[in-house]
Coordinates of all heavy atoms in Angstrom, one line a residue:
D714 N 116.1 59.5 82.6 CA 117.0 58.9 83.7 C 117.7 60.0 84.5 O 118.3 60.9 84.0 CB 118.1 58.1 82.9 CG 118.9 57.2 83.8 OD1 118.3 56.5 84.7 OD2 120.1 57.1 83.7
V715 N 117.8 59.7 85.8 CA 118.4 60.6 86.8 C 119.4 59.8 87.6 O 119.0 58.8 88.2 CB 117.5 61.4 87.6 CG1 118.3 62.3 88.7 CG2 116.6 62.3 86.8
I716 N 120.7 60.1 87.6 CA 121.7 59.5 88.5 C 122.0 60.5 89.7 O 122.2 61.6 89.4 CB 122.9 59.2 87.7 CG1 122.6 58.2 86.5 CG2 124.0 58.6 88.6 CD1 122.1 56.9 87.0
N717 N 122.1 60.0 90.8 CA 122.3 60.7 92.0 C 121.4 61.8 92.2 O 121.7 63.0 92.2 CB 123.8 61.3 92.0 CG 124.3 61.8 93.3 OD1 123.6 61.8 94.3 ND2 125.5 62.2 93.4
L718 N 120.1 61.5 92.5 CA 119.0 62.3 92.5 C 119.2 63.4 93.6 O 118.8 64.6 93.5 CB 117.7 61.5 92.8 CG 116.4 62.3 92.8 CD1 116.1 62.9 91.5 CD2 115.3 61.4 93.3
T719 N 119.8 63.0 94.7 CA 120.1 64.0 95.8 C 121.3 64.7 95.8 O 121.7 65.4 96.7 CB 119.9 63.2 97.2 OG1 121.0 62.3 97.2 CG2 118.6 62.6 97.3
D720 N 122.1 64.6 94.7 CA 123.4 65.2 94.5 C 124.4 64.9 95.7 O 125.1 65.8 96.2 CB 123.3 66.7 94.3 CG 124.5 67.4 93.6 OD1 125.2 66.6 92.9 OD2 124.8 68.5 94.0
K721 N 124.4 63.6 96.1 CA 125.2 63.1 97.1 C 126.7 63.3 96.8 O 127.2 62.9 95.7 CB 125.0 61.7 97.4 CG 125.9 61.0 98.4 CD 125.5 61.5 99.8 CE 126.3 60.7 100.9 NZ 126.1 61.3 102.2
K722 N 127.5 63.8 97.8 CA 129.0 63.9 97.6 C 129.6 62.6 98.2 O 129.4 62.3 99.4 CB 129.5 65.1 98.2 CG 129.1 66.4 97.7 CD 129.5 67.6 98.5 CE 129.0 68.9 97.9 NZ 129.4 70.1 98.8
Y723 N 130.3 61.8 97.5 CA 130.8 60.5 97.9 C 132.0 60.1 97.1 O 132.2 60.5 96.0 CB 129.7 59.5 97.9 CG 129.3 59.1 96.5 CD1 129.7 57.9 96.0 CD2 128.4 59.9 95.7 CE1 129.3 57.5 94.7 CE2 128.0 59.5 94.5 CZ 128.4 58.3 94.0 OH 128.1 57.9 92.7
I724 N 132.7 59.2 97.7 CA 133.8 58.5 96.9 C 133.2 57.3 96.3 O 132.8 56.3 97.0 CB 135.0 58.1 97.9 CG1 135.6 59.3 98.5 CG2 136.0 57.3 97.1 CD1 136.2 60.3 97.4
G725 N 133.2 57.2 94.9 CA 132.6 56.2 94.2 C 133.6 55.0 93.9 O 133.2 53.8 94.1
R726 N 134.7 55.4 93.5 CA 135.7 54.3 93.1 C 137.0 54.5 93.9 O 137.5 55.6 94.1 CB 136.0 54.4 91.6 CG 137.0 53.2 91.1 CD 137.0 53.2 89.6 NE 137.6 54.3 88.9 CZ 139.0 54.4 88.7 NH1 139.8 53.4 89.1 NH2 139.5 55.5 88.1
I727 N 137.6 53.4 94.3 CA 138.8 53.3 95.0 C 139.9 52.5 94.2 O 139.6 51.4 93.8 CB 138.7 52.8 96.4 CG1 137.8 53.6 97.2 CG2 140.1 52.7 97.1 CD1 137.4 53.0 98.5
S728 N 141.1 53.0 94.1 CA 142.3 52.3 93.6 C 143.1 52.0 94.9 O 143.9 52.8 95.2 CB 143.0 53.0 92.6 OG 144.2 52.3 92.0
P729 N 143.0 50.8 95.4 CA 143.7 50.6 96.7 C 145.2 50.5 96.6 O 145.8 50.2 95.6 CB 143.1 49.2 97.2 CG 141.9 49.0 96.4 CD 142.1 49.6 95.0
G730 N 145.9 50.8 97.7 CA 147.3 50.7 97.8 C 147.7 50.1 99.1 O 146.8 49.7 100.0
E731 N 149.0 49.9 99.4 CA 149.4 49.3 100.5 C 149.3 50.3 101.8 O 148.6 49.9 102.8 CB 150.9 48.9 100.5 CG 151.4 48.2 101.8 CD 152.9 48.0 101.7 OE1 153.6 48.6 100.9 OE2 153.4 47.4 102.7
T732 N 149.8 51.4 101.6 CA 149.6 52.5 102.7 C 149.0 53.8 102.3 O 148.7 54.6 103.0 CB 151.0 52.8 103.3 OG1 151.9 53.3 102.2 CG2 151.7 51.6 103.9
S733 N 148.6 53.8 101.0 CA 148.0 55.0 100.4 C 147.2 54.6 99.1 O 147.7 54.1 98.2 CB 149.0 56.1 100.0 OG 148.4 57.2 99.5
G734 N 145.9 55.0 99.2 CA 145.0 54.7 98.1 C 144.8 55.9 97.3 O 145.2 57.0 97.6
T735 N 144.1 55.8 96.1 CA 143.7 56.7 95.3 C 142.2 56.8 95.1 O 141.6 55.7 95.0 CB 144.3 56.7 93.8 OG1 145.7 56.6 94.0 CG2 143.9 57.9 93.0
Y736 N 141.5 57.9 95.3 CA 140.1 58.0 95.5 C 139.5 58.8 94.4 O 139.9 60.0 94.2 CB 139.8 58.5 96.9 CG 140.5 57.7 98.0 CD1 141.8 58.0 98.4 CD2 139.9 56.6 98.5 CE1 142.5 57.3 99.4 CE2 140.5 55.9 99.5 CZ 141.8 56.2 100.0 OH 142.5 55.5 100.9
Y737 N 138.4 58.3 93.8 CA 137.7 59.0 92.7 C 136.3 59.4 93.2 O 135.5 58.5 93.7 CB 137.7 58.1 91.5 CG 139.1 57.8 90.9 CD1 139.8 56.8 91.4 CD2 139.6 58.6 90.0 CE1 141.1 56.5 91.0 CE2 140.9 58.4 89.5 CZ 141.6 57.3 90.0 OH 142.9 57.0 89.5
V738 N 136.0 60.6 92.9 CA 134.6 61.2 93.4 C 133.6 60.6 92.5 O 133.7 60.6 91.3 CB 134.7 62.7 93.3 CG1 133.4 63.3 93.9 CG2 135.9 63.3 94.1
G739 N 132.4 60.3 93.1 CA 131.3 59.8 92.5 C 130.6 61.0 91.7 O 130.7 62.2 92.1
A740 N 130.0 60.7 90.6 CA 129.3 61.7 89.8 C 128.2 62.5 90.5 O 127.5 61.9 91.3 CB 128.8 61.1 88.5
P741 N 128.1 63.7 90.2 CA 126.9 64.5 90.8 C 125.6 64.2 90.1 O 125.5 63.3 89.2 CB 127.4 65.9 90.6 CG 128.1 65.9 89.3 CD 128.9 64.6 89.3
F742 N 124.6 64.9 90.5 CA 123.3 64.9 89.8 C 123.5 65.0 88.3 O 124.1 65.9 87.7 CB 122.4 66.0 90.3 CG 121.1 66.2 89.6 CD1 120.0 65.5 90.2 CD2 120.9 66.9 88.4 CE1 118.7 65.6 89.5 CE2 119.7 67.0 87.8 CZ 118.6 66.3 88.3
T743 N 122.9 64.0 87.6 CA 123.1 63.9 86.1 C 121.7 63.3 85.6 O 121.1 62.5 86.1 CB 124.2 62.9 85.8 OG1 125.4 63.3 86.5 CG2 124.4 62.8 84.3
F744 N 121.3 64.0 84.5 CA 120.1 63.4 83.9 C 120.3 63.3 82.4 O 121.1 63.9 81.7 CB 118.8 64.4 84.2 CG 118.9 65.7 83.4 CD1 118.4 65.8 82.1 CD2 119.5 66.8 84.0 CE1 118.5 67.0 81.5 CE2 119.6 68.0 83.4 CZ 119.1 68.1 82.1
S745 N 119.4 62.4 81.8 CA 119.6 62.2 80.4 C 118.2 61.7 79.9 O 117.3 61.3 80.6 CB 120.6 61.1 80.1 OG 120.3 59.9 80.7
V746 N 117.9 61.9 78.5 CA 116.7 61.5 78.0 C 117.1 60.7 76.6 O 118.1 60.9 76.1 CB 115.8 62.6 77.6 CG1 115.3 63.3 78.8 CG2 116.6 63.6 76.6

Side-chain angles (χ1 to χ4, degrees):
D714 191 43
V715 178
I716 302 296
N717 196 356
L718 184 65
T719 62
D720 200 28
K721 175 72 175 177
K722 298 175 183 177
Y723 68 101
I724 296 298
R726 182 168 71 89
I727 298 176
S728 179
E731 182 191 7
T732 59
S733 180
T735 304
Y736 304 89
Y737 296 86
V738 184
F742 175 90
T743 305
F744 70 88
S745 57
V746 296

